[in-house]
């Protein structure tokens, strides 16, 4: 599941079909198993991206990686934040991934202090993207999404880590009319699983177009913390 196959003769260059689960022209070489997911890439995958992809697959399919199993918020003890994991990271100056959204609603980029072997990974608990009836609310917040994300901020070699400030962009497509000034980024600062005893991050959201709303220069995403989106209206 976690290893790819380098193919030097791709269909775009030789007009042969791309075959998954069989060897072309070889009888009896069919795959005897299941394919959980097939990912197509439009460029070579660098080592940093490979670490992120492997952790995404491990979280989604409940696996433990033999190496670089650095996203730990998918563990049962941490709440099973298994869904739509994405991440940014840097192994060295020639291998990095600095802007990520994946298939989820949250995009994070522009880290100010991302150094060698550092990663910031996030996934969610599959709560609904809706706020009607939510009650765990900080003072001044009228509602928040039920969906909650949790962060792994890690050094893949076990050293100290601080990726710095980041920009967080929420894709609110399908969420109805949105006023940027009403949005509030909520982070569980004391890491107790409750938002009501915290205060919203004091950063205004900016409308970026295309139903995207950005909180710039967020410093509160520390390892293990949860976040979600709230509104004052």
């Amino acid at each position: 599941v976690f290893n790819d196959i380098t193919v030097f003769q791709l269909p775009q260059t030789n007009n042969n079909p791309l075959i998954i689960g069989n060897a072309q022209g070889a009888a009896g070489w069919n795959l005897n198993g299941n394919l959980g997911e097939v990912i197509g890439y439009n460029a070579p995958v660098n080592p940093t991206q490979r670490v992120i992809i492997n952790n995404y697959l491990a979280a989604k399919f409940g696996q433990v990686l033999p190496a670089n199993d650095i996203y730990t918020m998918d563990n049962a003890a941490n709440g099973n934040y298994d869904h739509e994991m994405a991440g940014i990271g840097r192994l060295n100056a020639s291998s990095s991934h600095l802007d990520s959204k994946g298939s989820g609603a949250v995009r994070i980029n522009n880290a100010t202090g991302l150094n060698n072997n550092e990663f910031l990974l996030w996934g969610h608990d599959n709560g609904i993207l809706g706020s009607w009836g939510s009650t765990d609310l900080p003072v001044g917040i009228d509602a928040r999404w039920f969906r909650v994300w949790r962060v792994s901020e890690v050094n893949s070699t076990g050293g100290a880590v601080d990726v710095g400030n980041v920009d967080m962009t929420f894709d609110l497509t399908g969420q109805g009319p949105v006023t940027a000034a009403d949005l509030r980024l909520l982070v569980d600062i004391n890491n107790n699983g409750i938002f009501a005893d915290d205060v919203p991050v004091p950063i205004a959201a900016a409308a970026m177009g295309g139903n995207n709303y950005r909180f710039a220069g967020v410093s509160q995403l520390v390892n293990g913390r949860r976040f979600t989106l709230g509104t004052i209206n």
Side-chain angles (χ1 to χ4, degrees):
V1 174
F2 304 112
N3 294 316
D4 67 341
I5 299 173
T6 302
V7 180
F8 295 101
Q9 295 296 323
L10 298 176
Q12 65 180 10
T13 59
N14 63 16
N15 295 318
N16 289 331
L18 178 62
I19 299 174
I20 299 173
N22 191 11
Q24 183 178 3
W29 283 68
N30 298 65
L31 173 70
N32 182 18
N34 299 311
L35 293 174
E37 181 166 345
V38 176
I39 304 174
Y41 305 98
N42 61 2
V45 177
N46 69 42
T48 297
Q49 293 168 332
R50 192 180 305 276
V51 170
I52 296 171
I53 293 166
N54 286 352
N55 277 268
Y56 154 76
L57 291 168
K60 181 173 182 178
F61 294 106
Q63 301 297 310
V64 177
L65 296 172
N68 287 318
D69 195 351
I70 58 175
Y71 179 66
T72 60
M73 298 306 135
D74 60 331
N75 298 339
N78 292 328
N80 287 324
Y81 292 80
D82 302 332
H83 303 273
E84 294 182 312
M85 195 226 86
I88 57 175
R90 166 180 159 144
L91 288 176
N92 52 59
S94 62
S95 177
S96 63
H97 188 66
L98 307 179
D99 187 340
S100 190
K101 180 175 182 288
S103 59
V106 178
R107 174 187 179 188
I108 295 180
N109 59 358
N110 296 328
T112 60
L114 190 63
N115 295 313
N116 288 353
N117 303 309
E118 292 187 343
F119 290 81
L120 183 70
L121 311 169
W122 60 96
H124 64 77
D125 60 0
N126 208 32
I128 64 171
L129 288 177
S131 61
W132 185 258
S134 56
T135 57
D136 176 21
L137 307 171
V139 174
I141 300 298
D142 283 356
R144 71 163 179 88
W145 271 348
F146 284 97
R147 179 169 296 181
V148 176
W149 288 259
R150 200 167 189 188
V151 171
S152 281
E153 183 185 30
V154 296
N155 185 309
S156 59
T157 62
V161 57
D162 182 2
V163 305
N165 299 349
V166 296
D167 292 349
M168 301 179 65
T169 304
F170 289 80
D171 183 349
L172 303 188
T173 300
Q175 294 296 304
V178 176
T179 300
D182 292 338
L183 299 177
R184 296 292 185 272
L185 177 62
L186 307 182
V187 177
D188 180 16
I189 299 296
N190 58 16
N191 210 18
N192 64 354
I194 299 172
F195 291 98
D197 58 358
D198 294 290
V199 297
V201 173
I203 298 174
M208 307 305 294
N211 301 309
N212 291 297
Y213 298 83
R214 176 173 297 170
F215 297 89
V218 177
S219 63
Q220 288 81 1
L221 294 190
V222 176
N223 184 54
R225 285 182 177 172
R226 302 164 178 85
F227 68 87
T228 190
L229 191 64
T231 177
I232 62 170
N233 184 8

